[in-house]
Amino acid sequence: VHEWLATRGGSENVFEAMSEEFPDASRFCLWNDSEGRFEGVGETWLARTPIRNSKALAVPFAPIAWRTLPAMEADWVLCSSHLFAHHARFRGPAAEAPKLVYAHTPARYVWVPELDGRGSGAAARALSGVMKPLDRKRAAERVAIAANSQFVADRIADTWQREATVIYPPVDTHVFGAAANLGADDERRVSALPRTFLLGVSRFVPYKMMEKVIEAGRVAGMPVVLAGTGPDEARLRAYAEARHPGRVSFVIDPSFPMLNALYHRASAVVFAPVEDFGIIPVEAMAAGTPVVANAVGGAAESVIDGVTGALTAVWQGSELAAAVDRALRSDPAACISRAGEFSVGRFKKEIRGWVTGVVGNEDVA
């Protein structure tokens, strides 16, 4: 079971790996907008409404949709949840099946709105007050919970009041470890960039804190490349012109080969947000590129300070400059080795071992 399905995303990568590891399992989601990536996945009644076009509008209805699922047979139910998928309840024999949840996080805009701007509005705050007791009650239905980082496991303990096993999500480290095969247009775009630069990769939205990448370049005296797209682009361009004029380049909506090439060519990747896990630092390390990451959050569990990059809680002045310098002195081989510890194969082995340990060997196909 998964929330909504999109064409790409970290949670979709988890769902894909689960699907490959348990190929005989039926699959269900709120709605499927994966454009053919995931086929044969059942959908809730929300998929037949205009609400599927607005995640914000769908949030209040998702708990109801998850409690009105059809009758199915199941030996066990495994939920991939970053909103309310852990509320899932099928009718029929599946209603009594042991339920396990792989939690990307308890809903951030319900439980930790200070980390997610989507929870700052009056409507979101009102919904949060209603949803917290219900969400905790639904989490208590689970036989077992796994978290995608210790950072999230601690949040689960605080919010759902449950213990969780840590299983880091899958990262396609093999793909990012290979050299990029660029087309002519992408090659021209990359060739126009500075020979050395600090790289920021993300959606351009405020809570991703891409301005901190610019600040890192400024204090280190290095060019900056920002790769991504989103509504915060104009603000970031203005910030770049004011704080680091003429030394910030934007690569808008990079292709996958372009992104891979940027990882390989960057001197370091700067990753400032407080994330539940943070896939971008692992992708960068897979390319042999060190990372300057936030000392708070899931990225602090993948980046090893002084070995594969640097961790910092201060994003200005001499401390930030020292973090960049520390990262630049990291060994590319150590970065690649560390990234390998978060591979898809490792995730599949651990998720199967966890399910098997909870429900028993005879029930895990």
Side-chain angles (χ1 to χ4, degrees), residues 176-177 263-264 266-267 282-291 308 330-337 339:
F176 287 100
Y263 278 142
H264 279 267
S267 300
V282 178
E283 293 176 346
M285 290 188 294
T289 301
V291 181
T308 68
S330 299
D331 180 8
C335 294
I336 294 169
S337 176

Side-chain angles (χ1 to χ4, degrees), residues 109-350:
Y109 31 94
V110 170
W111 291 103
V112 284
E114 66 276 10
L115 297 180
D116 194 322
R118 292 171 294 184
S120 60
R125 292 195 300 270
L127 177 65
S128 174
V130 173
M131 285 307 306
K132 282 181 178 179
L134 177 63
D135 200 49
R136 184 181 291 122
K137 179 180 178 180
R138 297 297 182 234
E141 296 175 349
R142 303 300 146 198
V143 172
I145 299 173
N148 71 351
S149 67
Q150 186 59 52
F151 184 61
V152 167
D154 293 342
R155 184 182 296 159
I156 288 170
D158 290 339
T159 59
W160 290 348
Q161 300 174 354
R162 293 289 305 270
E163 292 185 358
T165 299
V166 175
I167 300 178
Y168 293 112
V171 182
D172 199 343
T173 53
H174 176 74
V175 170
F176 287 100
N181 184 17
L182 293 177
D185 287 344
D186 280 348
E187 186 63 56
R188 281 193 294 270
R189 293 174 74 188
V190 170
S191 298
L193 297 174
R195 295 190 64 181
T196 62
F197 57 87
L198 298 180
L199 174 65
V201 177
S202 179
R203 288 179 293 125
F204 294 162
V205 291
Y207 85 90
K208 294 295 186 179
M209 297 193 289
M210 293 289 273
E211 68 274 8
K212 302 301 185 185
V213 187
I214 299 171
E215 196 64 18
R218 188 185 72 82
V219 300
M222 295 182 64
V224 168
V225 174
L226 300 185
T229 187
D232 211 26
E233 181 183 342
R235 184 187 70 87
L236 290 171
R237 286 186 182 274
Y239 188 95
E241 187 59 31
R243 296 289 290 174
H244 205 31
R247 306 205 72 189
V248 180
S249 303
F250 285 76
V251 178
I252 303 303
D253 198 17
S255 64
F256 179 84
M258 168 69 92
L259 177 59
N260 196 14
L262 293 174
Y263 278 142
H264 279 267
R265 300 188 189 201
S267 300
V269 166
V270 179
F271 188 79
V274 178
E275 290 284 21
D276 303 321
F277 172 68
I279 289 177
I280 286 169
V282 178
E283 293 176 346
M285 290 188 294
T289 301
V291 181
V292 179
N294 202 317
V296 178
E301 298 175 42
S302 60
V303 177
I304 303 174
D305 191 90
V307 178
T308 68
L311 301 174
T312 183
V314 179
W315 290 90
Q316 59 185 358
S318 59
E319 290 193 48
L320 179 56
V324 174
D325 180 67
R326 197 159 64 251
L328 294 176
R329 290 186 275 113
S330 299
D331 180 8
C335 294
I336 294 169
S337 176
R338 178 60 171 165
E341 298 177 29
F342 300 91
S343 68
V344 176
R346 183 272 322 161
F347 173 82
K348 290 180 178 180
K349 180 179 179 181
E350 291 186 7

Side-chain angles (χ1 to χ4, degrees), residues 38-112:
F38 300 105
E39 297 182 346
V41 182
E43 298 176 303
T44 68
W45 54 264
L46 280 177
R48 301 187 297 274
T49 74
I51 292 175
R52 70 179 293 161
N53 297 316
S54 172
K55 295 174 184 176
L57 290 176
V59 168
F61 297 96
I64 302 170
W66 284 128
R67 302 304 277 188
T68 53
L69 295 175
M72 296 187 69
E73 294 191 11
D75 297 310
W76 44 268
V77 177
L78 174 60
C79 303
S80 166
S81 179
H82 57 77
L83 183 64
F84 302 132
H86 59 286
H87 292 210
R89 182 181 64 187
F90 292 93
R91 296 192 298 274
E96 304 302 321
K99 295 182 287 185
L100 304 86
V101 59
Y102 183 85
H104 305 274
T105 178
R108 286 165 62 108
Y109 31 94
V110 170
W111 291 103
V112 284

